[in-house]
Amino acid sequence: MTEAAELPPAPEQAREVFGERFADAVRYAELLAEAGVQRGLIGPREVPRLWERHLLNCAVLSEAVPEGVTVCDVGSGAGLPGIPLALVRDDLNITLLEPLLRRTNFLTEVVELLGLDHVTVVRGRAEEVMGKLPPVHVVTARAVAPLDRLATWGIPLLRPYGEMLALKGDTAEDELKAAATALSKLGAVETSILHVGEGVVDPLSTVVRVEVGESPGGVRFAAKRAKAARTGRARRRR
């Protein structure tokens, strides 16, 4: 039996980034290193690099998120990037969207334990909740799928003129080029690559930003959204 990897102490940057929520960030890191590994939510090899590669890498995404907006973290998994983002930004209203029960159970436990009152956990796939969840200003995601597929799930959840922020690695530029046609069909009007986390993470975190116009998801999803809205109104009248 392989001995469990040990969680290293939090780096000094974590104190600066998480501020008053630093103790909660430490508790979250401990939960990932213990229950997260035991339940198969993260691999044991990730434990030694939880702070730099995961918590801080995700927390600096906050640099790209406007103030006071609604956020949906698609395919939230063990809560990355949604939980670190929630720890540094209590002005946001965040939904953690995840289809697997064992993951949503873990997320619910973390949210309750850390007292994250501005975070809601929803079990489901993005394509299933469209029209059931209110459209959001920002969709976030990390390492869920290639950009074109991720956009198909995430963009339809946006409100008009919202944006998707996807944490990506070295493949960001290539993925953005490959997804150009798909993004256009989904209603994207502007794309860019951001590098965030100066002085906190090295290398910097790479974020693909996709901004949409008045019809997130394009014509196809506009029809689906309208149908879902009509169904919702009919149910409320009953």
Side-chain angles (χ1 to χ4, degrees), residues 201-236:
V201 290
D202 184 18
L204 299 179
S205 297
T206 301
V207 181
V208 175
R209 169 182 272 158
V210 179
E211 301 171 69
V212 300
E214 61 182 15
S215 299
V219 176
R220 174 186 168 197
F221 287 98
K224 282 189 175 183
R225 193 178 290 107
K227 181 179 179 181
R230 289 195 299 271
T231 302
R233 286 195 296 270
R235 286 174 179 167
R236 286 193 293 272

Coordinates of all heavy atoms in Angstrom, one line a residue, residues 201-236:
V201 N 1.7 33.1 -8.6 CA 1.9 31.8 -9.2 C 3.0 31.9 -10.3 O 3.0 32.9 -11.0 CB 0.6 31.1 -9.8 CG1 -0.3 30.7 -8.6 CG2 -0.1 32.0 -10.7
D202 N 3.8 30.9 -10.5 CA 4.8 30.8 -11.6 C 4.8 29.4 -12.1 O 5.1 28.5 -11.4 CB 6.1 31.2 -11.0 CG 7.2 31.3 -12.1 OD1 6.8 31.4 -13.3 OD2 8.4 31.3 -11.7
P203 N 4.4 29.2 -13.4 CA 4.0 30.2 -14.4 C 2.6 30.8 -14.0 O 1.9 30.3 -13.2 CB 4.0 29.4 -15.7 CG 3.6 28.0 -15.2 CD 4.3 27.8 -13.9
L204 N 2.4 31.9 -14.7 CA 1.1 32.6 -14.5 C -0.1 31.7 -15.0 O 0.1 30.8 -15.8 CB 1.0 33.9 -15.3 CG 2.1 35.0 -15.0 CD1 1.9 36.2 -15.9 CD2 2.0 35.4 -13.5
S205 N -1.2 31.9 -14.4 CA -2.4 31.1 -14.8 C -2.9 31.7 -16.1 O -3.0 32.9 -16.3 CB -3.5 31.2 -13.8 OG -3.1 30.6 -12.6
T206 N -3.2 30.8 -17.1 CA -3.7 31.2 -18.4 C -5.2 31.0 -18.4 O -5.7 30.0 -18.1 CB -3.1 30.3 -19.5 OG1 -1.6 30.5 -19.4 CG2 -3.5 30.7 -20.9
V207 N -5.9 32.1 -18.9 CA -7.3 32.1 -18.9 C -7.8 32.4 -20.3 O -7.4 33.4 -20.9 CB -7.9 33.1 -17.9 CG1 -9.5 33.1 -18.0 CG2 -7.4 32.9 -16.5
V208 N -8.7 31.6 -20.9 CA -9.3 31.9 -22.1 C -10.6 32.6 -21.8 O -11.5 32.1 -21.1 CB -9.5 30.7 -23.0 CG1 -10.3 31.0 -24.3 CG2 -8.2 30.0 -23.4
R209 N -10.8 33.8 -22.3 CA -12.0 34.6 -22.1 C -12.8 34.6 -23.4 O -12.3 34.9 -24.5 CB -11.7 36.0 -21.7 CG -12.9 36.9 -21.7 CD -12.6 38.4 -21.3 NE -12.7 38.6 -19.9 CZ -12.0 39.5 -19.2 NH1 -11.2 40.3 -19.9 NH2 -12.2 39.6 -17.9
V210 N -14.1 34.2 -23.3 CA -15.0 34.2 -24.5 C -16.2 35.1 -24.1 O -16.9 34.7 -23.2 CB -15.5 32.8 -24.8 CG1 -16.4 32.8 -26.0 CG2 -14.3 31.9 -25.1
E211 N -16.3 36.2 -24.8 CA -17.4 37.1 -24.5 C -18.5 36.9 -25.5 O -18.2 36.7 -26.7 CB -17.0 38.5 -24.6 CG -15.9 38.8 -23.5 CD -15.2 40.2 -23.8 OE1 -15.9 41.2 -23.5 OE2 -14.0 40.2 -24.2
V212 N -19.8 36.9 -25.1 CA -20.9 36.6 -26.0 C -21.7 37.9 -26.2 O -21.6 38.9 -25.5 CB -21.8 35.5 -25.5 CG1 -21.0 34.2 -25.3 CG2 -22.5 35.9 -24.1
G213 N -22.6 37.8 -27.3 CA -23.4 39.0 -27.6 C -24.8 38.8 -27.0 O -24.9 38.2 -25.9
E214 N -25.8 39.2 -27.7 CA -27.2 39.1 -27.1 C -27.8 37.7 -27.2 O -28.9 37.5 -26.6 CB -28.1 40.1 -27.9 CG -28.2 39.9 -29.3 CD -29.1 40.9 -30.0 OE1 -29.3 42.0 -29.4 OE2 -29.5 40.7 -31.2
S215 N -27.2 36.8 -27.9 CA -27.8 35.4 -28.0 C -26.8 34.4 -27.6 O -26.2 33.7 -28.4 CB -28.3 35.2 -29.4 OG -29.2 36.1 -29.8
P216 N -26.5 34.2 -26.3 CA -25.6 33.2 -25.8 C -26.0 31.8 -26.3 O -27.2 31.4 -26.0 CB -25.6 33.3 -24.3 CG -26.2 34.6 -24.0 CD -27.1 34.9 -25.2
G217 N -25.1 31.0 -27.0 CA -25.5 29.7 -27.5 C -26.0 29.7 -28.9 O -26.1 28.7 -29.5
G218 N -26.2 30.9 -29.5 CA -26.6 31.0 -30.8 C -28.1 30.7 -31.0 O -28.9 30.6 -30.1
V219 N -28.5 30.6 -32.3 CA -29.9 30.4 -32.6 C -30.5 29.1 -32.0 O -31.6 29.1 -31.5 CB -30.1 30.4 -34.1 CG1 -31.6 30.1 -34.5 CG2 -29.7 31.7 -34.7
R220 N -29.7 28.1 -32.1 CA -30.2 26.8 -31.6 C -30.6 26.8 -30.1 O -31.6 26.3 -29.7 CB -29.1 25.7 -31.9 CG -29.4 24.4 -31.3 CD -28.1 23.5 -31.5 NE -28.2 22.3 -30.7 CZ -27.2 21.5 -30.4 NH1 -26.0 21.8 -30.8 NH2 -27.3 20.4 -29.7
F221 N -29.7 27.4 -29.3 CA -30.0 27.5 -27.9 C -31.0 28.5 -27.5 O -31.6 28.4 -26.5 CB -28.6 27.6 -27.1 CG -27.8 26.4 -27.2 CD1 -26.8 26.2 -28.1 CD2 -28.1 25.3 -26.3 CE1 -26.0 25.1 -28.1 CE2 -27.3 24.2 -26.3 CZ -26.3 24.0 -27.2
A222 N -31.1 29.5 -28.4 CA -32.1 30.5 -28.1 C -33.5 29.9 -28.1 O -34.4 30.2 -27.3 CB -32.1 31.6 -29.1
A223 N -33.7 29.0 -29.0 CA -35.0 28.2 -29.1 C -35.2 27.3 -27.9 O -36.3 27.3 -27.3 CB -35.1 27.4 -30.4
K224 N -34.1 26.7 -27.5 CA -34.2 25.8 -26.3 C -34.5 26.6 -25.1 O -35.3 26.2 -24.2 CB -32.9 25.0 -26.1 CG -32.7 23.9 -27.1 CD -31.5 23.1 -26.6 CE -31.3 21.8 -27.5 NZ -30.2 21.0 -27.0
R225 N -33.8 27.8 -25.0 CA -34.0 28.6 -23.8 C -35.4 29.1 -23.7 O -36.0 29.2 -22.6 CB -33.0 29.8 -23.8 CG -32.9 30.6 -22.6 CD -31.9 31.7 -22.6 NE -30.5 31.1 -22.7 CZ -29.8 31.1 -23.8 NH1 -30.2 31.6 -24.9 NH2 -28.6 30.6 -23.8
A226 N -36.0 29.5 -24.8 CA -37.4 30.0 -24.9 C -38.3 28.9 -24.5 O -39.3 29.2 -23.7 CB -37.7 30.6 -26.3
K227 N -38.1 27.7 -25.0 CA -39.0 26.6 -24.6 C -38.9 26.3 -23.1 O -40.0 26.1 -22.5 CB -38.6 25.4 -25.4 CG -39.5 24.1 -25.2 CD -39.0 23.0 -26.0 CE -39.9 21.7 -25.7 NZ -39.5 20.6 -26.5
A228 N -37.7 26.3 -22.6 CA -37.5 26.1 -21.2 C -38.2 27.1 -20.3 O -38.9 26.8 -19.3 CB -36.1 26.0 -20.8
A229 N -38.2 28.4 -20.8 CA -38.8 29.5 -20.0 C -40.3 29.3 -20.1 O -41.0 29.5 -19.1 CB -38.4 30.8 -20.7
R230 N -40.9 28.9 -21.2 CA -42.3 28.7 -21.3 C -42.8 27.6 -20.4 O -43.8 27.6 -19.7 CB -42.7 28.4 -22.8 CG -42.6 29.6 -23.7 CD -43.4 29.3 -25.0 NE -42.8 28.2 -25.7 CZ -41.8 28.3 -26.6 NH1 -41.2 29.4 -26.9 NH2 -41.4 27.2 -27.2
T231 N -42.0 26.5 -20.4 CA -42.3 25.3 -19.5 C -42.3 25.8 -18.1 O -43.1 25.4 -17.3 CB -41.3 24.2 -19.7 OG1 -41.3 23.8 -21.1 CG2 -41.6 23.0 -18.9
G232 N -41.3 26.6 -17.7 CA -41.1 27.0 -16.3 C -42.3 27.9 -15.9 O -42.9 27.8 -14.8
R233 N -42.8 28.8 -16.8 CA -44.0 29.6 -16.5 C -45.2 28.8 -16.4 O -46.0 29.0 -15.5 CB -44.1 30.7 -17.6 CG -43.1 31.8 -17.6 CD -43.5 33.0 -18.4 NE -43.6 32.6 -19.8 CZ -42.6 32.7 -20.7 NH1 -41.4 33.2 -20.3 NH2 -42.8 32.4 -22.0
A234 N -45.3 27.8 -17.2 CA -46.5 26.9 -17.1 C -46.6 26.1 -15.8 O -47.6 26.0 -15.2 CB -46.5 25.9 -18.3
R235 N -45.4 25.7 -15.3 CA -45.4 25.0 -14.1 C -45.7 25.9 -12.9 O -46.4 25.5 -12.0 CB -44.0 24.4 -13.9 CG -43.7 23.2 -14.7 CD -42.2 22.7 -14.6 NE -42.0 21.6 -15.4 CZ -40.7 21.1 -15.7 NH1 -39.7 21.8 -15.2 NH2 -40.5 20.1 -16.4
R236 N -45.3 27.1 -13.0 CA -45.5 28.0 -11.9 C -47.0 28.4 -11.8 O -47.5 28.8 -10.7 CB -44.7 29.3 -12.0 CG -43.2 29.1 -11.7 CD -42.5 30.4 -11.6 NE -42.4 31.1 -12.9 CZ -41.4 31.0 -13.7 NH1 -40.4 30.1 -13.5 NH2 -41.4 31.6 -14.8

